[in-house]
Structures are given as structure tokens and as C-alpha cells.
């Protein structure tokens, strides 16, 4: 929370999985204190998690890039994340059953 909370603003939405560390009261308090909302994704339904679809794609691209050593890997990941456009992210949401506004 030391990294996330300082960059959150009123109206932001934080989506977390059900990792026990994410459900600690201090996590909820820190997020809500910024004015942001907190949503937990449903348990045991990875097909409904847009982030899972993005992770699958990202992991595939990382394997394809075969970047070594660590510094090159991190640079590659940064470059690959830039390929996730707003349109692609909207598609992940739509594919997971979330209605667009």
C-alpha cells in the first residue's frame, strides 16, 4: 500500500483478487482513505477476470521475446505493457462479460 495508495485519487477503482494479504483491514482502509473504491473479483472464476486474460497474453509475449538477463527482461515487460491499449483492455472487459458504458 505504500506504493499504490499515494497515487490513488477520488473516483479511482482498485480491483483485487482474493489473496488473503489483500483482505487485511489496513489495505481496505488505506484505499478508501484516498477516496478510491475497492472491488474484489469473484473467487474461482479466472475466465471472468479480465486481468487473467491480459496476463495470459503478456506471459505469451514475454516467452516469445526470450529476454535475458533481468534488466533486459524488465525493459521488455515495460515495452510489452505499452502495447496494451485502451481498446485491448476494453476487449478484455467485454470478453469477461462486463458491459461497456
Amino acid at each position: 500500500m505504500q506504493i499504490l495508495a499515494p497515487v490513488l485519487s477520488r473516483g479511482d477503482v482498485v480491483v483485487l483478487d482474493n489473496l488473503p494479504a489483500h483482505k487485511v483491514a489496513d489495505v481496505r482502509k488505506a484505499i478508501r482513505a484516498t477516496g478510491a473504491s475497492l472491488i474484489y473479483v469473484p473467487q474461482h472464476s479466472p475466465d471472468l477476470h479480465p486481468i487473467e486474460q491480459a496476463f495470459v497474453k503478456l506471459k505469451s509475449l514475454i516467452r516469445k521475446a526470450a529476454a535475458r538477463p533481468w534488466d533486459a527482461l524488465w525493459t521488455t515487460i515495460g515495452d510489452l505493457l505499452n502495447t496494451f491499449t485502451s481498446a485491448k483492455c476494453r476487449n478484455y472487459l467485454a470478453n469477461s462479460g462486463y458491459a461497456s458504458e
Side-chain angles (χ1 to χ4, degrees):
M1 291 315 321
Q2 296 169 340
I3 295 172
L4 179 61
V7 299
L8 292 174
S9 301
R10 179 167 302 285
D12 287 345
V13 178
V14 178
V15 179
L16 295 175
D17 61 17
N18 290 286
L19 182 73
H22 293 163
K23 292 195 165 195
V24 175
D26 288 343
V27 170
R28 288 190 301 270
K29 230 187 300 186
I31 291 170
R32 291 187 176 130
T34 67
S37 300
L38 176 61
I39 297 173
Y40 290 100
V41 294
Q43 291 185 359
H44 308 295
S45 54
D47 292 342
L48 300 177
H49 298 188
I51 195 67
E52 296 295 337
Q53 297 172 44
F55 284 158
V56 167
K57 180 66 175 175
L58 179 61
K59 288 189 280 187
S60 170
L61 293 169
I62 290 169
R63 280 192 292 276
K64 186 176 178 182
R68 307 285 187 283
W70 279 107
D71 56 337
L73 176 61
W74 284 114
T75 300
T76 299
I77 291 171
D79 293 341
L80 292 172
L81 286 174
N82 287 329
T83 68
F84 286 78
T85 63
S86 296
K88 281 185 183 179
C89 293
R90 276 192 300 276
N91 288 340
Y92 291 131
L93 289 165
N95 190 52
S96 295
Y98 292 91
S100 62
E101 297 178 9

